[in-house]
Amino acid sequence: MLRSLIIAAALSLSAAAFAQTAPSASDIASYRGLHLAAHEGRVAEIESLIAAGEDPNMRDRSGRTPAHIAAFASHDDALTALATGGADMNALENRAYDVLTIAAVANDPELVSLAMELGNKPDLVTSVYDGTALIAAAHLGHHEVVARLVAGGAPLDHVNNLEWTALIEAVVLGDGGHDHIKTVEILVKAGADKSIPDRDGVTPLQHAQARGYEEMVMLLK
């Protein structure tokens, strides 16, 4: 249990180093062609550039494709135009994030659903933690996103390289408040395996009990 608490603390401190990084001002200033059109949501220009032969999977200096840029900017129509034009919806940028996980972290349920409709796989392994979009959303308590990912077939019991599932992350990295309680409820009702422990053998229920998260305890019993 102590080891798990130490890992949780270390993860919270180091998360910023491995978090998604939206395009910076200097990145945006350097953009031309599809990257700029995606950032600004210019659908007609995206269609024209692709028709003229521009590669919809070209990368910026951080490995972001125009689809990643459209996701960071929450331009749904631009993302659709890119996918229609041949963009790889399962491409990973340099920090190993895909469009779906970008949308999940941004707490953008509509973009999450759209990404899956356009072919972004909900079981794709993403991030330096070898997680999934569902784990990322559960970590943050984005319960509407969690619900949509579950409905889209996201794997409930994927174990990342910290040996945590989405259920464990919702408890260990949450604050015990409404959003994380609702996240746990959705996962449990969907059939997430409550018995999968962390690397120390501590279950989600035991983590909730140790933190005094009474409502989570009731859901996990």
Side-chain angles (χ1 to χ4, degrees), residues 38-81:
H39 175 71
E40 296 182 348
R42 299 201 302 259
V43 173
E45 185 173 345
I46 289 170
E47 294 171 341
S48 176
L49 288 167
I50 292 175
E54 191 157 323
D55 181 6
N57 295 306
M58 62 196 302
R59 304 273 182 160
D60 71 5
R61 57 193 176 193
S62 294
R64 307 182 197 94
T65 67
H68 294 125
I69 302 306
F72 275 119
S74 295
H75 289 316
D76 294 21
D77 290 343
L79 185 64
T80 299

Side-chain angles (χ1 to χ4, degrees), residues 3-155:
R3 182 182 178 187
S4 297
L5 291 172
I6 291 171
I7 291 174
L11 180 58
S12 65
L13 289 171
S14 65
F18 299 109
Q20 297 170 11
T21 304
S24 66
S26 62
D27 286 330
I28 294 166
S30 73
Y31 286 163
R32 302 290 184 273
L34 281 174
H35 278 98
L36 183 59
H39 175 71
E40 296 182 348
R42 299 201 302 259
V43 173
E45 185 173 345
I46 289 170
E47 294 171 341
S48 176
L49 288 167
I50 292 175
E54 191 157 323
D55 181 6
N57 295 306
M58 62 196 302
R59 304 273 182 160
D60 71 5
R61 57 193 176 193
S62 294
R64 307 182 197 94
T65 67
H68 294 125
I69 302 306
F72 275 119
S74 295
H75 289 316
D76 294 21
D77 290 343
L79 185 64
T80 299
L82 288 162
T84 301
D88 180 2
M89 289 299 298
N90 294 291
L92 301 178
E93 44 88 87
N94 287 355
R95 292 177 183 264
Y97 288 105
D98 61 340
V99 166
L100 188 58
T101 309
I102 290 168
V105 170
N107 200 15
D108 190 337
E110 295 301 327
L111 187 56
V112 163
S113 293
L114 176 62
M116 290 189 289
E117 289 170 10
L118 295 174
N120 204 157
K121 298 176 182 177
D123 61 351
L124 201 63
V125 175
T126 65
S127 88
V128 296
Y129 300 109
D130 294 336
T132 60
L134 180 63
I135 289 179
H139 169 178
L140 296 166
H142 294 166
H143 54 83
E144 177 59 28
V145 167
V146 167
R148 296 200 184 203
L149 287 168
V150 167

Side-chain angles (χ1 to χ4, degrees), residues 129-211:
Y129 300 109
D130 294 336
T132 60
L134 180 63
I135 289 179
H139 169 178
L140 296 166
H142 294 166
H143 54 83
E144 177 59 28
V145 167
V146 167
R148 296 200 184 203
L149 287 168
V150 167
L156 298 175
D157 300 320
H158 177 85
V159 179
N160 65 17
N161 60 22
L162 296 170
E163 297 192 24
W164 287 349
T165 61
L167 197 52
I168 287 178
E169 290 227 359
V171 178
V172 172
L173 298 178
D175 59 5
H178 168 77
D179 291 340
H180 286 94
I181 292 169
K182 186 65 177 176
T183 295
V184 169
E185 180 182 8
I186 292 166
L187 290 169
V188 169
K189 286 184 176 180
D193 190 340
K194 297 181 288 185
S195 69
I196 298 175
D198 63 16
R199 65 182 56 173
D200 297 319
V202 183
T203 66
L205 173 59
Q206 290 169 325
H207 278 297
Q209 289 171 327
R211 289 163 173 76

